[in-house]
Amino acid sequence: MKKPVLSRRTFLQTSAAAAMVAGTGFHQLASAAESKSANELLDIACIGVQNRASANVSGVSGQNLVALCDIDDNYLNKAAGQYSKHKSNKYNDFRVLLDKEKSIDAVVVSTPDHTHAPASMWAMQLGKHVYCEKPMTHTVHEAREMTNFAVKNKLATQLGTQIHAGNNYRRVVEAIQAGAIGNVKHVDVWVGKGWGGGTVPSDKPPVPKNVHWDLWLGPAAYRDYSPVYMPAQWRRWWDFGGGTLGDMGCHYIDLVFWALRLKYPTKIAAEGPEPDTHTAPLGLTVNYEFPKTDVASAVTMKWRDGNHCPNEIEGHKVPGSGVMFHGDKGMMLATYGNFTLLPEADFNGWKAPEESIPNSIGHYEEWIKAIKEGTPTTCSFDYSGPLTETVLLGNVAYRWTDRVGCSQPKGHQQRLGEPVHRAEVP
């Protein structure tokens, strides 16, 4: 099967993503929005307004929603009606929005993954602060460029890893860094979703009148419209998303990054069914190696999703998704809402360390405060860029077939009758 066309179409020739790939700026950087007092409302534009985006619009709706943008007229009109008091200007094309709305302070980007970087980078090049859904970008290069640009230009940024604002993650980080389970050498991360599989649609239904299909495709190679892709199934397709790892990796691996202060992995090896040109696998295993940090020695991390997920780890039954830290004094099983030290009998009477990480004022509130007062956010692009790169590199390792073999390792049991593919990226 032939690989997808790599041409990025005319769209990229006039977008910020093209500027990043070329290594040159598309816009001269405008002055960043002037800091506003705590009582003064920000002027915010939201790119993407329904489904996952609806929560983001709601999260910043205490400010002035100057502009709303979506490629679906029905979604756009629904959001405009819901927030009618804002009298928001409506757009289908974020490029037109960014060209016309010169006075906005900030932009919220909640589009499919493949348009995160074009919208976010363009906004930042105009001096706008950015809140972007996870993963930060669709490619490793985009993540590195956006990270560097945001830091250099001192823009207030936040990645949409909302669980980072929860209290449980803070308590896990405090316990791990206080040595509750000793020196952590390995971490298991797994998510029981299966964003993968599927074939290229053969039918060619007409594009609904409310959908601006070409704008939804954006920088991706052209393909005919199909309801298969929208509103959520696009995550299965490499041109638009990154499968389960791309969807959930930033949420769960975030906890590992925070607790162990990780940044960039030094080696990645992936295992799964023979890669499909178009869609992500129904199950994937990725093994990462990280160098030591100021709070942890060199550590390995194993990601598993879909039908690769474990039912138990070292004799302990585990939930459908979670994180297991392995230390030289025991283990910790963590989920979004709680954590358990294992074996439980070994930790009878254990007392949590004194709380040292302040509880969040709210994920959106952190970002808004940062814009107004110059305070830090907990998931700025400086932190979230390396996290996003790590997630994306897992898929790169899995699809890395040009330079390494795909032989089946001895003793490895195939899953669901599928051939096994292994690849490694140093």
Side-chain angles (χ1 to χ4, degrees):
M1 186 177 293
K2 293 182 178 180
K3 292 184 177 181
V5 177
L6 296 180
S7 172
R8 291 259 188 176
R9 303 168 63 243
T10 306
F11 180 96
L12 278 182
Q13 297 173 12
T14 59
S15 74
M20 288 191 293
V21 172
T24 59
F26 181 76
H27 297 287
Q28 182 177 357
L29 180 68
S31 297
E34 293 292 333
S35 296
K36 295 193 172 184
S37 69
N39 295 324
E40 191 174 0
L41 298 181
L42 299 172
D43 292 334
I44 295 179
C46 294
I47 301 173
V49 298
Q50 286 297 319
N51 302 306
R52 174 61 222 159
S54 64
N56 293 339
V57 177
S58 176
V60 299
S61 61
Q63 307 301 307
N64 291 325
L65 300 182
V66 172
L68 302 174
C69 179
D70 205 287
I71 59 85
D72 188 315
D73 290 333
N74 292 345
Y75 289 164
L76 186 59
N77 292 332
K78 179 181 177 180
Q82 184 177 358
Y83 299 103
S84 57
K85 70 176 183 179
H86 293 270
K87 299 180 180 179
S88 310
N89 295 324
K90 297 188 295 183
Y91 298 89
N92 296 124
D93 190 332
F94 72 76
R95 298 170 299 177
V96 177
L97 183 159
L98 293 173
D99 186 55
K100 290 187 175 182
E101 300 288 350
K102 303 293 188 183
S103 65
I104 58 174
D105 300 302
V107 175
V108 177
V109 177
S110 310
T111 62
D113 297 358
H114 71 297
T115 44
H116 283 184
S120 298
M121 190 66 169
W122 196 316
M124 289 196 299
Q125 288 178 322
L126 290 171
K128 313 306 179 184
H129 306 284
V130 172
Y131 180 107
C132 181
E133 259 304 317
K134 52 76 196 167
M136 201 168 91
T137 63
H138 194 221
T139 72
V140 175
H141 179 66
E142 290 170 340
R144 186 66 61 91
E145 291 293 318
M146 279 179 55
T147 298
N148 292 341
F149 191 92
V151 172
K152 179 180 178 180
N153 293 284
K154 300 179 181 178
L155 294 167
T157 55
Q158 183 87 307
L159 187 71
T161 44
Q162 297 82 12
I163 193 61
H164 193 101
N167 292 345
N168 182 62
Y169 268 27
R170 284 161 165 70
R171 308 294 82 86
V172 169
V173 172
E174 289 164 351
I176 291 294
Q177 293 185 354
I181 59 171
N183 186 35
V184 176
K185 292 286 190 177
H186 176 71
V187 186
D188 281 292
V189 186
W190 66 98
V191 173
K193 283 188 176 182
W195 283 121
T199 58
V200 177
S202 58
D203 59 333
K204 297 182 180 181
V207 179
K209 292 182 179 180
N210 56 294
V211 173
H212 299 262
W213 177 240
D214 190 62
L215 293 178
W216 187 89
L217 283 174
Y222 183 80
R223 66 175 68 197
D224 291 313
Y225 165 81
S226 172
V228 166
Y229 304 118
M230 303 166 70
Q233 298 299 317
W234 55 264
R235 292 192 178 280
R236 302 179 184 273
W237 303 84
W238 293 126
D239 279 1
F240 313 125
T244 305
L245 179 54
D247 179 29
M248 301 302 295
C250 284
H251 284 312
Y252 282 87
I253 297 175
D254 171 31
L255 182 57
V256 186
F257 261 58
W258 194 1
L260 303 180
R261 295 182 186 168
L262 303 182
K263 199 160 187 181
Y264 296 108
T266 53
K267 190 174 183 180
I268 310 167
E271 176 185 319
E274 193 71 21
D276 183 89
T277 303
H278 299 284
T279 58
L282 288 169
L284 182 64
T285 296
V286 184
N287 291 291
Y288 296 91
E289 296 181 11
F290 293 89
K292 67 178 182 179
T293 69
D294 60 340
V295 298
S297 61
V299 65
T300 58
M301 180 180 73
K302 181 188 290 289
W303 164 275
R304 284 173 281 186
D305 63 44
N307 57 31
H308 282 214
C309 280
N311 294 316
E312 63 176 47
I313 296 176
E314 294 194 15
H316 298 279
K317 291 184 178 181
V318 295
S321 301
V323 177
M324 182 81 86
F325 293 91
H326 300 259
D328 54 18
K329 295 181 181 178
M331 298 178 292
M332 177 190 285
L333 171 62
T335 63
Y336 278 180
N338 57 69
F339 69 90
T340 304
L341 299 177
L342 300 169
E344 292 186 73
D346 291 353
F347 291 93
N348 286 334
W350 178 80
K351 293 183 179 180
E354 184 177 347
E355 293 183 7
S356 58
I357 304 173
N359 291 339
S360 176
I361 60 174
H363 207 58
Y364 304 101
E365 288 76 7
E366 282 182 16
W367 179 59
I368 291 167
K369 186 177 186 337
I371 297 171
K372 292 181 178 181
E373 302 177 22
T375 52
T377 58
T378 55
C379 293
S380 68
F381 289 175
D382 188 31
Y383 169 84
S384 300
L387 172 62
T388 295
E389 286 192 41
T390 298
V391 167
L392 298 177
L393 282 168
N395 282 331
V396 171
Y398 169 63
R399 301 178 72 192
W400 187 265
T401 59
D402 294 336
R403 300 184 184 180
V404 294
C406 302
S407 59
Q408 179 178 337
K410 292 182 179 180
H412 184 85
Q413 185 176 0
Q414 295 181 356
R415 295 173 174 82
L416 302 181
E418 296 175 323
V420 171
H421 164 82
R422 288 177 60 86
E424 185 174 293
V425 177

